[in-house]
Amino acid sequence: MEKQLLHQKFSSAFDENLIKEIEKIGIVRTYQKDDIIIDINQTLKYIPLLLTGNIKILREDADGNELLIYFLEAGETCTMSLTCCLGTSKSKIRAVAEMDSELVMIPVEYMQKWFQTNASWRNFILESYQIRFDEMLEAIDSLAFMKMDERLHKYLLNKTELHESKTINVKHQDIAEDLHTSRVVISRLLKQLENENKIKLSRNKIEVL
């Protein structure tokens, strides 16, 4: 395992003993952009800790349409997968690599054991729940109260923060799927945002101004 990377991303959250245990039992896996890391109805045997990259967490309706819930960044874990593991139920979300990503996978039994025996792990999990809960409330507020053009602009701003770049490489269809709408609607709204001088469009690229 890349010990330096593990220390860099998690030393502020975990004590030294816990990091050493993760180095021993953790399994490092790499994923390419758009790879599915966790799928809906999958039985979860490992908890992911994100070392590098970004992951988007999606829900799916009865017709197979996806809705973006939140993004994971390096140094974070997916609390919805934690909930499934604690309840020994199958995954209710899909986790997809937003860009090339590297994770360390923790066997479920250790996650449960550490919650009882390690204060730094317990605090990390509880804080992760709070962060994700706040983000899901924000997602609900966006769906309920924001118009689609406002949701789209907020989505693009979030993307620039995740990628640490004002220029985003993304297709209109991909945005439509994340926001649970049609490509035609997204293309029209992107043009509207460009006319308002909020973005600049080019082929498969969007510059947020």
Side-chain angles (χ1 to χ4, degrees):
M1 182 183 297
E2 297 184 28
K3 296 181 180 181
Q4 185 177 356
L5 190 56
L6 181 64
H7 276 265
Q8 179 185 341
K9 298 300 179 183
F10 291 98
S11 61
S12 62
F14 300 152
D15 61 41
E16 190 62 29
N17 289 334
L18 182 57
I19 288 181
K20 288 179 179 178
E21 283 200 68
I22 294 173
E23 289 173 354
K24 290 179 183 178
I25 58 92
I27 302 169
V28 175
R29 291 181 179 167
T30 56
Y31 295 87
Q32 303 299 308
K33 176 177 164 55
D34 296 327
D35 282 351
I36 294 176
I37 298 167
I38 299 172
D39 209 353
I40 294 169
N41 290 324
Q42 179 181 336
T43 299
L44 299 179
K45 298 180 180 179
Y46 299 94
I47 297 301
L49 299 178
L50 185 55
L51 295 173
T52 64
N54 293 306
I55 296 171
K56 57 184 177 181
I57 306 299
L58 308 160
R59 282 280 286 158
E60 186 178 78
D61 66 16
D63 298 321
N65 299 309
E66 294 179 333
L67 177 66
L68 176 67
I69 303 176
Y70 55 78
F71 288 99
L72 291 181
E73 299 179 70
E76 297 181 336
T77 188
C78 177
T79 51
M80 295 193 75
S81 65
L82 297 176
T83 302
C84 293
C85 289
L86 284 172
T88 63
S89 60
K90 293 183 178 179
S91 173
K92 295 178 175 61
I93 55 95
R94 176 173 294 122
V96 179
E98 170 75 3
M99 60 176 65
D100 293 353
S101 300
E102 185 174 9
L103 301 91
V104 55
M105 312 299 280
I106 307 297
V108 170
E109 59 267 26
Y110 285 91
M111 170 234 164
Q112 296 169 337
K113 169 189 170 185
W114 292 340
F115 194 85
Q116 299 297 326
T117 62
N118 188 282
S120 67
W121 175 262
R122 184 165 56 250
N123 291 337
F124 172 74
I125 297 302
L126 294 175
E127 288 173 7
S128 296
Y129 272 120
Q130 184 63 56
I131 292 169
R132 297 285 90 85
F133 180 74
D134 290 344
E135 287 183 344
M136 282 191 285
L137 284 181
E138 187 178 341
I140 292 169
D141 287 346
S142 295
L143 287 170
F145 305 120
M146 293 178 70
K147 295 187 294 184
M148 182 56 76
D149 61 331
E150 295 172 324
R151 287 178 58 203
L152 174 58
H153 191 224
K154 181 174 180 294
Y155 169 90
L156 295 174
L157 289 172
N158 287 341
K159 282 271 197 178
T160 62
E161 292 178 5
L162 283 170
H163 293 265
E164 298 180 343
S165 171
K166 291 294 185 181
T167 301
I168 309 165
N169 297 302
V170 63
K171 297 178 181 177
H172 294 191
Q173 181 62 40
D174 293 337
I175 300 174
E177 290 173 0
D178 281 348
L179 295 182
H180 203 35
T181 187
S182 71
R183 184 190 60 77
V184 173
V185 168
I186 291 301
S187 295
R188 175 175 58 81
L189 291 176
L190 285 172
K191 192 64 181 175
Q192 176 184 314
L193 290 175
E194 185 175 44
N195 291 336
E196 294 171 359
N197 294 319
K198 293 180 178 178
I199 62 171
K200 182 178 180 181
L201 297 173
S202 55
R203 184 173 178 81
N204 292 335
K205 288 185 180 181
I206 300 171
E207 182 183 355
V208 180
L209 303 176

